[in-house]
Amino acid sequence: MLPEDKKLMIYEQLKVVFGFEAFRPNQEPIIDRILSRQDVFAVMPTGGGKSLCYQLPAKMMSGTTVVISPLISLMKDQVDAACANGIVATFMNSTLTAREMSDAHQKLRLNEIELLYIAPERFVMPSFLETLKNIDISFFAIDEAHCISEWGHDFRSDYLRLSLIPEEFPDVAVAAFTATATLKVQEDIIRKIGLRSPHVTRASFNRPNLFYRVERKDNANLQILRFLKERPNDAGIIYRTTRKSVTETADFLVSNGISARPYHAGLPPEERSANQEAFNHDDTRVMVATIAFGMGIDKSNVRFVIHADLPKNIEGYYQETGRAGRDGVSADCLLLFSNADIPRLRYFINQIPSDKERAVAMGNLRQMVNFASHNSCRRKQLLKFFDEEYPADNCSTCDICTDTTEDVDITLDAQILMSAIYRTGQTFWVRHIVDIVTGANTKRIRSFRHNKVKTYGAGKSKKKEYWVAIADELLAHNIIEQSDDKFPVIKLTHEGSDLLFGKKRLTISRKESAKVSARSDDLKHYDNLLFERLRAVRKEFAEEQHVPPFVIFSDKTLHDMCRYYPAEESDMRKISGVGEVKIQRYAAAFIDEIKGYLDENPDAGENGAQFADVDYEIKPRQKKKIGDSVEVTYALFKEGLSVEIIAGRRSLTTSTIAGHLELLIQDGRDIDIDRLIDPAKRAEIEKLFITFKKWNLKPIIEHSNGTISYDEARIARAFLRDQLNFL
Ligand code: ADP
Ligand code: ZN
């Protein structure tokens, strides 16, 4: 363990260089070990803050930190981000000109570089090894370390040569990082690199800022369009399985006025990288891609990831959704699920020659289908996949935990659909059957004379999407089944016949979307008009410096500015993500923009969070007037109702009700706090307020990495303040 004064220095650097108040879980012990020159192996989820774990020691230690990173395309952004915080960083790879390369060599020899990024192939070049041997190296960091394991999913043979590091540099410590490693892969990585009794960290796979939702797919493109229209300023990724569907969806979106670009392995490399760059630089809002769009994405402000087709396995789904919300701001993950997608995937799996691999692939698909169709918390299911138990009953950030359901009897409509299947000989696929019941006039219908079938047009009062959804329900309930073909045909099962001939009825539970999403909650907490203006300022700087906007400031940092309206440099320093170098470079421009905005919108700042909160002084809070709506909440709470029930009854969000309770506590009303927060958790929150010596909620929430919610923190704060006022 490091001595106390060193610890203080770490915190100081965290604030000065990166502008952060507190470490994310696991960062501090990792940095502590690196500074003590011990080997480290860390699994941290995407967005967990791996880069800070090696960038901060790189800044503090003498000598150069050498980072091995698999993708040349990522290095520039990483270096730009480090430089933006005032770290002397560079990369050496084939994209440099001869001149730039010799400059970099020169600086390296003069020990002027704090952080050097290279690809593994450069590391093993004898001449380069020689150069490294003649300089002072603080430590090696290996990014995406799972690439060394054949068991992992991105194996790269170049990585195997990294075992040279401990052989050639026996006195230099190595820190290996990855976002994905089962225990088996972990062992493999440690052994293959040759790490020496490393400090091993496995962080939780939980991504508290991601909201998971599964929606029944009836018309993917329209569903996507609706989703995008609800959040007109957010950027995100849409995954589709085939190149053709990628192109179709991208074209569809563009023709509907959405700025979208395609990405798949069939596009020429220049077009692919131009599209990726446009996405990174906020020049295009939506990337429609196959899973070829992967590891190279380090854009931190991806606000949603949509899977428009069923992924092949949970691991892939987790990694792909994990690309959303790296900056810690909430983000949405939407999966459009249809049972009709399954046979196609099965068909491809059936082409796998090895029995063993085929069985594994089928098993993976089954897990994925269960995830999408089971009625249990999505977060719990995902974490279970990684052998992790999610502790709470309700995660409050997935559709299962937030939506209500109602039972609907669909017997009649099921019979209409099944009759069409039955009367056409059980040899057609879903879409054709839906055409029959909606009375479509297609070539196929005419040629088979299906317009003469009794149920032709029987369901035309309802939309096609409705019937597709009914068919999907029937598949889910095993009322009908489909063959494992590329174009599967459907037929009735035994249970299906019972239903068709009226021997039983079918009731399904239909989800009533609570219209909650990660974003809808988030938007309430900052001034979005100001955000748009600050975004434009950020974009100008980014263009001037040829870096992606998130390198200047993350979305999270801008949101904080839109909550606190910093008016001076000293205020800016209190914003998360604003270090000293960024103060010098950008503070004035952003403060100006905020001032301009407040001049034009004098009321805007009134609801802003107060910097006065910052000092940990005990002063009586100004009492706010209690309105009628708050009184209603008080009465219901006194009746013994829970926050959720009160919110439900009044059609308000739980967050609004929590806000009411906060006011009531401040007003000195008699509120039984134990009904609101578990006493142990409250004690933990109180301890944090006292440790941080500040009343703002942000550091507490950040520190907890999602285990403490905004509402819990503010209620605990109100209560603690109230008690302190009594003392
Ligand atoms: P990873 O490489 O693990 O996916 P990053 O290193 O890209 O994650 O970090 C994700 C985001 O979290 C970045 O925007 C980074 O600035 C931010 N971040 C990292 N550490 C902290 C911290 N201690 N407090 C607040 N934000 C942090
Ligand atoms: Zn849940």
Side-chain angles (χ1 to χ4, degrees), residues 266-298:
L267 292 174
E270 315 79 63
E271 191 177 337
R272 252 182 321 183
S273 65
N275 289 356
Q276 173 157 357
E277 171 133 336
F279 182 61
N280 250 344
H281 287 241
D282 293 356
D283 290 330
T284 191
R285 175 152 100 85
V286 179
M287 191 66 124
V288 188
T290 61
I291 53 172
F293 188 54
M295 209 155 59
I297 318 158
D298 61 353

Side-chain angles (χ1 to χ4, degrees), residues 20 22-24 27 45-52 326-327:
F20 298 139
F23 283 107
R24 292 255 178 87
Q27 285 180 325
T46 308
K50 287 182 281 298
S51 23
L52 188 134
R326 287 176 85 129
D327 50 12

Side-chain angles (χ1 to χ4, degrees), residues 514 516 521 524 628-633 636 642-660:
V516 193
D521 234 26
K524 290 188 216 118
D628 291 345
S629 175
V630 180
E631 291 294 357
V632 174
T633 296
L636 292 172
S642 70
V643 172
E644 285 75 23
I645 305 233
I646 300 176
R649 277 216 191 157
R650 306 192 56 201
S651 298
L652 295 170
T653 62
T654 50
S655 191
T656 306
I657 302 299
H660 292 173

Side-chain angles (χ1 to χ4, degrees), residues 102-130:
S102 87
D103 273 1
H105 264 287
Q106 170 91 7
K107 284 200 183 119
L108 193 59
R109 272 189 229 104
L110 293 173
N111 262 324
E112 282 175 3
I113 294 177
E114 290 171 323
L115 193 62
L116 172 71
Y117 283 81
I118 54 167
E121 56 271 24
R122 178 157 312 265
F123 174 74
V124 296
M125 289 178 185
S127 62
F128 190 72
L129 260 181
E130 221 22 65

